[in-house]
Amino acid sequence: MEKDGGGVAAGEWRFQPNESLMAASSLSVRGVLTEIVANIDNESEDTRPRIPLGHGDASVFPCFRTAPEAVDAVVSALRSGQYNCYSPCVGLAPARRAIADYLSGDLPYKLSPDDVYLTNGCAQAIEIVVSVLARPGANILLPRPGYQFYAARAAYNGIEVRYFNLLPESQWEVDLDGLEALADENTVAMVIVNPGNPCGNTFTYQHLAKASSLLVANTAKKLRIMIIADEVYEHLTFGSNPFVPMGMFGDVVPVLTLGSISKRWVVPGWRLGWIVTNDPNGVLSQTKIVECLKNYLDISCDPATFVQGAIPQIIKNTNDDFLRHTISVLRQTADICYDKLKEIDCISCPSKPEGSMFVMVKLDLSRLEGIHDDMDFCSKLAKEELVIVLPGCTVGFKNWLRITFAVEPSSLEDGLERLKSFCSKHSKRSSSPAIRS
Ligand SMILES: *Cc1c(COP(=O)(O)O)cnc(C)c1O
């Protein structure tokens, strides 16, 4: 029941909600998924399990259970009694060192522990980096389709967003020609998510090299912007392209690399991530970005100290078999997904996923009866088949769908079978051969 506000009209109070927060939350994936799930009739006779192919949290499935060595590392950190304290704002020194060494393994130069700042997962890393770059009039280049948390944080910080396209017919590579036209003197950074969410692509070395040199060497426009490299899915690749860190090009263009243990170790609830300066030329210190980043850390919350304390052991002790196993399950489920989707007439999949946990597919609404758009499709699919997928509008690609395949193989098969029968139930009669004459 609505209260009467003690007889005072809402507008008469001195406090008001923060409008920029209201705008930012409309970009939230969680909000849309909640809306879709609300279509499911809880009183229904349908007792089949719900199949969550919407947001990617593989940790709930037994086949993606984290490495026992990682669990042991956290248990010993807790038992030691050494990590009940507050941590330094930048993170515990041994954890910073362990992450610097771990990431240096893929780079032509060595990172120092001082290049690493610990955060509450990759999400807080995004929050910090976007806030650090916020200045009046600034704009930032984001991929479309893309991970909308960047757009939400930019909206909150009052940074203008400009979208560059990822090209479905070219393995979701960046439309580099379009990129040049977008940037101007107020452009501060470009975001690259690799391996990709939502597209499931892995960029080649050549493509990343081309993108990074364009940002600096383009003499006509002198873009001179930095790259924010979201590598939260680092090494989760299972196609022909190996993972190449953007830090490889840190001597060409300054790179802030963002990551976390959430995806590779499948522990998103542990909330440990990082911001790393990949910047052998020291541009980020000269421009005081590093100082500003530390200032932000001074006024924000740190990740739990015992998880920081466990990081060196998590990295050192985790058996290679764990990563191999995760990748082999993802390869298997990506195959299941791709093969099954090919059987569905009203859905097309431009490229087979080669990394991360997602695939983007296009809906052909002209073949469907009584479905207006992607949101309507997802709402009815949830209601009729208890399968939850994400409408493309939430990642900037209307009338597409994002499907996660980081799901137990048997559930995935069940979910895709239901998706198929939903599509055939709603397909237009006119497309059936019987009417051809
Ligand atoms: C999951 C995800 C994040 C957030 O990672 P956390 O460590 O769970 O905060 C950031 N970026 C992308 C592209 C993601 O998919």
Side-chain angles (χ1 to χ4, degrees), residues 117-185:
Y117 302 89
L118 301 191
T119 59
N120 263 293
C122 188
Q124 196 202 19
I126 295 169
E127 172 189 328
I128 295 173
V129 165
V130 173
S131 306
V132 161
L133 292 173
R135 62 157 170 78
N139 69 68
I140 188 168
L141 308 182
L142 300 184
R144 179 171 53 204
Y147 182 68
Q148 284 301 72
F149 192 68
Y150 286 92
R153 295 309 313 184
Y156 182 62
N157 282 293
I159 301 190
E160 182 197 339
V161 168
R162 298 186 181 178
Y163 290 101
F164 59 86
N165 289 318
L166 302 182
L167 304 169
E169 309 307 332
S170 316
Q171 277 84 50
W172 298 106
E173 283 193 342
V174 175
D175 174 12
L176 293 174
D177 301 334
L179 191 73
E180 272 183 272
L182 276 181
D184 62 18
E185 67 281 3

Side-chain angles (χ1 to χ4, degrees), residues 120-123 126 147 193 197 230 232-233 260 262-263 268 271:
N120 263 293
C122 188
I126 295 169
Y147 182 68
V193 181
N197 173 9
D230 184 325
V232 77
Y233 296 100
S260 78
S262 302
K263 309 289 163 69
R271 309 308 307 139

Side-chain angles (χ1 to χ4, degrees), residues 48-49 51 385-387 414-422:
R48 292 176 300 172
I51 315 275
E385 298 290 344
L386 312 184
V387 173
D414 184 3
L416 293 168
E417 197 55 51
R418 293 190 216 170
L419 175 67
K420 185 178 171 185
S421 76
F422 175 85

Side-chain angles (χ1 to χ4, degrees), residues 89 124 127 131 292-302:
C89 296
Q124 196 202 19
E127 172 189 328
S131 306
C292 186
L293 202 146
K294 287 182 189 157
N295 290 347
Y296 193 103
L297 290 166
D298 282 343
I299 57 166
S300 65
C301 330
D302 317 316

